[in-house]
Amino acid sequence: MNRTLTPSPESFAQDPWKARIDRVFARALVLPLLLALGLLALLLGDTLYRSVSVQVVRADMGPGHTYPFGLSAEAILRQELLAQGYTEEEADFMLQDPKERSALFLQNRVELMWNTHEGPFRYVVTNVYDKRVADFSLAEGLRRWNELKANLQEGERLVLNPWLDQTFLTRPPSRSPLTAGIGVAVWGTVWVLSLALLLAIPVGVGTAILLEEYLREGRLSRLLEVNLRNLAGVPSIVYGLLGLALFVRGMGLGPSVLAAALTLGLLGIPVIVVTAREALRAVPESMRLAAFALGATRRQVVFRVVVPAALPGMVTGVILSAARLIGEAAPLLLVGAAAYVPFAPTGPLSQYTVIPVQIYLWISQNQPEFARVAAAGILVMLLLLSVLYLLALYLRNRFRREW
């Protein structure tokens, strides 16, 4: 009599050697991730370290005094003018007259230093004509602080300078690293990014709705899908060449905000299309069928049922696309982003600069202090990117729906 042998549960047990190999591979896959995180932390720490330095600065005019914490910038500049030999009437006129006041604040930088030769947390006034006597890294400067303080000459001051301070985001650029700021580049970035998104969002979302909800499966839809995925992987420098030929020269826009926005808009459209299509595909088919069963038309189903349900995913995709566009420098250099622009844009046809181009300009300068200004600019851009990524993460988790 033949008996059918029932395999025991032990016969299905995993081979211990295979389990060990799986564990080894799992740990090996974690190592590259830990290495990448460590390198990112090292780069961030190095950027933070370079954004703070110890300096000896010689004032072009005046004794180079520092001022106590709590005074307003206007009061500090008034005392500085009096120390330089101006009368009270002249100082009041320079602070009250609009043109003189604007020129005064452009040429002088009132900043809070973490430490000075006269005590911690004091204000100093840095003029565009002030000269750097010595510049030390944070560790070396702190180690030699007492020596540097004892050797100060008349008109010199010793400061622990955080290059990313409360006025760095609003100051215009300058030929002097002591007074350079990123305010104009921030406004240029806002102008270019806003106009680019005004172009990319309607075209990108509309294309996604057309492909997912209206266009049937066929040769045309497959062709469009393949081309969109290929465009999402095209290097940004190619879009820069297209923008140079089409917008700057072909349409005669020149090196303007509008030409840059149109170029970045084309760069952002494929990313928005891909993310918007994924959001539309995540909406269950049962919701569409239920709406059709209730007598809704195709337009009503799409714009009153499907799009509102997919909106959180679309918004997340738009934010991620904006974060990518903020860091683009190569296409904007090709379409004419100016390296030095002293004033913020006033319209779509104005000259402009953006944060990545401004950082590139600082790094290319010969003066070593510009490297520290560039480190502060990099921190600003990383902060903007972090805010956008955290906003995208919050929106995704806040409005996520379980179907």
Side-chain angles (χ1 to χ4, degrees):
M1 180 178 178
N2 295 330
R3 294 183 179 180
T4 303
L5 298 178
T6 304
S8 61
E10 289 77 8
S11 63
F12 292 103
Q14 188 175 9
D15 188 354
W17 285 102
K18 291 183 179 180
R20 184 176 300 178
I21 292 174
D22 291 341
R23 288 195 298 269
V24 170
F25 273 103
R27 294 171 183 173
L29 292 175
V30 174
L31 290 178
L33 176 61
L34 295 178
L35 179 61
L37 292 176
L39 291 175
L40 288 175
L42 181 62
L43 290 174
L44 180 59
D46 181 70
T47 305
L48 288 170
Y49 181 76
R50 292 176 182 272
S51 66
V52 182
S53 66
V54 175
Q55 287 187 314
V56 178
V57 179
R58 180 182 294 116
D60 177 68
M61 298 178 61
H65 288 163
T66 63
Y67 302 94
F69 180 76
L71 295 178
S72 64
E74 185 172 337
I76 293 172
L77 283 177
R78 188 176 189 279
Q79 294 186 27
E80 184 71 14
L81 291 173
L82 295 177
Q84 292 176 6
Y86 291 92
T87 63
E88 293 188 359
E89 292 77 9
E90 291 173 337
D92 292 337
F93 172 77
M94 295 178 69
L95 289 172
Q96 293 175 3
D97 184 76
K99 293 184 178 179
E100 293 289 340
R101 180 185 176 87
S102 176
L104 186 64
F105 275 91
L106 284 176
Q107 295 179 359
N108 296 275
R109 168 186 177 186
V110 180
E111 54 183 337
L112 179 65
M113 295 297 178
W114 290 353
N115 198 8
T116 69
H117 63 283
E118 295 182 349
F121 296 104
R122 295 180 67 85
Y123 286 105
V124 301
V125 178
T126 304
N127 189 272
V128 292
Y129 300 108
D130 289 353
K131 296 182 180 179
R132 184 264 304 169
V133 178
D135 183 86
F136 302 94
S137 64
L138 180 60
E140 183 180 3
L142 293 178
R143 180 176 59 84
R144 299 180 55 185
W145 183 270
N146 293 329
E147 174 191 350
L148 296 172
K149 181 178 179 181
N151 295 329
L152 287 178
Q153 305 297 321
E154 183 179 358
E156 295 180 351
R157 59 178 179 267
L158 175 65
V159 294
L160 176 59
N161 185 6
W163 293 89
L164 180 57
D165 60 3
Q166 74 277 10
T167 62
F168 182 74
L169 295 175
T170 58
R171 286 196 311 273
S174 173
R175 302 295 184 183
S176 170
L178 298 177
T179 56
I182 203 171
V184 173
V186 170
W187 280 111
T189 301
V190 171
W191 267 94
V192 173
L193 183 62
S194 300
L195 293 179
L197 291 180
L198 285 178
L199 166 68
I201 291 175
V203 176
V205 174
T207 303
I209 293 174
L210 174 66
L211 292 175
E212 288 296 321
E213 302 297 331
Y214 287 96
L215 200 61
R216 296 181 179 180
E217 285 290 334
R219 182 176 301 177
L220 178 61
S221 63
R222 289 194 297 269
L223 180 63
L224 291 176
E225 183 173 358
V226 170
N227 285 321
L228 285 170
R229 293 189 179 275
N230 290 335
L231 287 175
V234 171
S236 59
I237 191 73
V238 177
Y239 287 94
L241 294 172
L242 175 63
L244 177 63
L246 180 60
F247 303 128
V248 177
R249 296 178 179 176
M251 299 177 60
L253 296 177
S256 61
V257 172
L258 184 57
L262 292 173
T263 304
L264 288 187
L266 294 179
L267 179 61
I269 286 174
V271 179
I272 294 177
V273 170
V274 172
T275 54
R277 291 187 68 186
E278 294 297 329
L280 292 171
R281 288 175 183 174
V283 179
E285 187 66 23
S286 58
M287 295 185 63
R288 298 177 176 86
L289 297 177
F292 281 124
L294 293 175
T297 63
R298 169 70 69 177
R299 180 184 59 81
Q300 291 173 332
V301 171
V302 171
F303 292 100
R304 295 188 182 183
V305 178
V306 178
V307 172
L311 191 59
M314 293 181 180
V315 173
T316 301
V318 169
I319 295 175
L320 294 178
S321 177
R324 179 194 175 184
L325 297 181
I326 283 180
E328 291 293 344
L332 297 183
L333 287 172
L334 282 176
V335 297
Y340 178 79
V341 178
F343 302 105
T346 57
L349 298 180
S350 302
Q351 282 192 326
Y352 69 98
T353 188
V354 291
I355 295 176
V357 175
Q358 185 68 69
I359 293 173
Y360 170 77
L361 169 66
W362 286 333
I363 292 176
S364 62
Q365 298 296 318
N366 294 325
Q367 295 174 268
E369 289 84 0
F370 273 115
R372 304 192 183 281
V373 182
I378 291 171
L379 292 177
V380 172
M381 192 166 71
L382 288 177
L383 180 62
L384 290 176
L385 292 175
S386 300
V387 169
L388 289 175
Y389 284 129
L390 290 176
L391 179 61
L393 182 63
Y394 168 77
L395 292 176
R396 187 186 68 177
N397 294 332
R398 174 67 176 81
F399 298 102
R400 177 186 295 176
R401 297 181 180 181
E402 299 293 340
W403 306 108

